[in-house]
Amino acid sequence: KIFRNWNYKKANKLRWLNGQLNMSNIELKDISFAYGENQNKIFSKLNLEFKKGEIFAIFAPNGTGKSTLLQYILNSTTINKENTIGYIPQKYNESFFNWLSIKNNIQLVKQKPIEEFKKNSLDISKTAKNLNINIDLNLRPLQCSGGMLQQASILRAFSIKPNVIIADEPFASLDYKIAKKIIYSMREMVQKNNMTMIVVLHNIEDIKNLCDRVLVIPSKPFSTSEIEGHYQALIIENEFIKDNLNDYGDTNSFLNFVKDNLIVDTKVGKS
């Protein structure tokens, strides 16, 4: 299971879905999602396209459906040799086996963890160096701090050489200096290997340094289309964020700026 405590069959009875997901271009077409019998809508008629070599951020207040959107993409994706996904979970500390070293935990996601153990070990160390991740890979999870485990989860996702990276708040437990080093290295790896990265972020500075575009979600339910009773989500280019970051540097100020200046009505069809 990609998601701990996520019962996909049970969840399917509690939500409604339509539309389609085209993974060849990583494109969402008219996707809708809701929880519960009363159809508590999260998003409707959502249309998004994620380009190869692009890092796409999702930025929104807590509880608006960011992780739900990532879960939808992951649960709707066929994983095979041609279509590999590296996943950095929000609850990264629950995603390791405590009786194995960090390196051996990462070995498990390799295609041939036993047959190519030595080769994989060298490859993991090389990937760590390329990402500017400097942790002791021989430690076990219980010997690591939260920041070390988060770096390990980033390393694990990139170690399988995926063509898609999906990350849920990957820098939340990292201090500023470490996060900044990893962000620049991560961006270089994504572009060099023509990956697609979809990442939930709460820090505007991280978005500025890492991402090409960002989906700004004011609240829920949301849509990229104009639908009555829905907040309109907006895609913003990185250049706009850089131009306005000095005046609206913190998360809440920037979100309020977007609402006040870029979204005509905070909720389409409502006063």
Side-chain angles (χ1 to χ4, degrees):
K1 293 288 183 181
I2 295 177
F3 293 95
R4 193 176 290 253
N5 299 326
W6 174 261
N7 188 324
Y8 185 68
K9 290 183 178 179
K10 181 178 179 182
N12 197 44
K13 298 177 182 178
L14 300 176
R15 63 184 182 171
W16 53 273
L17 300 171
N18 59 7
Q20 65 183 52
L21 185 146
N22 181 350
M23 284 306 297
S24 61
N25 300 310
I26 314 183
E27 185 178 8
L28 304 179
K29 292 184 177 180
D30 290 331
I31 298 297
S32 299
F33 190 104
Y35 285 108
E37 295 179 0
N38 60 347
Q39 293 194 343
N40 178 22
K41 294 180 181 179
I42 307 299
F43 51 79
S44 300
K45 297 290 183 180
L46 194 63
N47 291 281
L48 294 170
E49 182 179 4
F50 310 106
K51 304 172 185 176
K52 288 185 177 181
E54 176 185 57
I55 302 176
F56 189 99
I58 301 171
F59 174 75
N62 291 329
T64 51
K66 303 181 298 297
S67 295
T68 300
L69 179 56
L70 292 189
Q71 288 175 359
Y72 178 86
I73 296 172
L74 278 165
N75 280 312
S76 303
T77 304
T78 301
I79 300 174
N80 50 44
K81 291 182 179 180
E82 290 74 33
N83 186 37
T84 55
I85 293 180
Y87 176 52
I88 305 170
Q90 187 179 46
K91 296 182 178 180
Y92 56 86
N93 56 319
E94 298 180 3
S95 65
F96 294 93
F97 294 111
N98 290 325
W99 58 90
L100 295 176
S101 68
I102 293 298
K103 180 172 281 189
N104 286 345
N105 266 280
I106 296 173
Q107 285 270 11
L108 293 177
V109 302
K110 292 289 201 176
Q111 284 191 6
K112 298 180 179 180
I114 298 175
E115 299 91 329
E116 299 183 356
F117 185 87
K118 290 185 178 180
K119 177 179 178 295
N120 291 340
S121 183
L122 291 172
D123 182 64
I124 291 167
S125 297
K126 182 180 178 182
T127 303
K129 184 177 180 180
N130 290 338
L131 284 168
N132 262 308
I133 290 176
N134 186 23
I135 59 175
D136 186 348
L137 298 176
N138 294 311
L139 293 176
R140 295 186 180 185
L142 292 177
Q143 297 174 300
C144 297
S145 66
M148 293 168 70
L149 285 179
Q150 189 152 57
Q151 291 178 74
S153 70
I154 293 171
L155 174 58
R156 179 177 55 194
F158 278 88
S159 290
I160 62 172
K161 296 180 173 58
N163 41 26
V164 178
I165 291 280
I166 295 180
D168 199 345
E169 301 183 40
F171 314 118
S173 296
L174 303 184
D175 66 48
Y176 176 77
K177 289 184 179 179
I178 291 176
K180 192 171 183 179
K181 286 182 181 180
I182 293 176
I183 282 171
Y184 284 115
S185 301
M186 186 183 287
R187 181 168 178 81
E188 184 177 340
M189 284 191 70
V190 169
Q191 293 178 334
K192 181 179 178 180
N193 296 286
N194 203 30
M195 301 175 184
T196 301
M197 185 170 184
I198 306 167
V199 54
V200 168
L201 290 173
H202 279 294
N203 188 295
I204 289 295
E205 187 73 29
D206 292 344
I207 291 175
K208 184 197 77 170
N209 293 328
L210 179 65
C211 303
D212 300 294
R213 296 186 297 154
V214 55
L215 176 71
V216 179
I217 302 169
S219 189
K220 67 177 182 181
F222 64 90
S223 178
T224 50
S225 306
E226 292 189 6
I227 300 177
E228 184 174 351
H230 286 65
Y231 293 89
Q232 188 174 2
L234 201 67
I235 297 174
I236 299 175
E237 300 289 337
N238 185 281
E239 288 76 11
F240 178 88
I241 296 173
K242 289 180 178 178
D243 291 343
N244 291 277
L245 185 63
N246 291 334
D247 295 329
Y248 304 95
D250 68 274
T251 300
N252 289 330
S253 296
F254 185 78
L255 188 59
N256 289 331
F257 171 75
V258 171
K259 288 181 182 179
D260 295 341
N261 294 275
L262 299 182
I263 301 175
V264 178
D265 297 313
T266 55
K267 196 170 185 184
V268 175
K270 301 289 184 180
S271 57

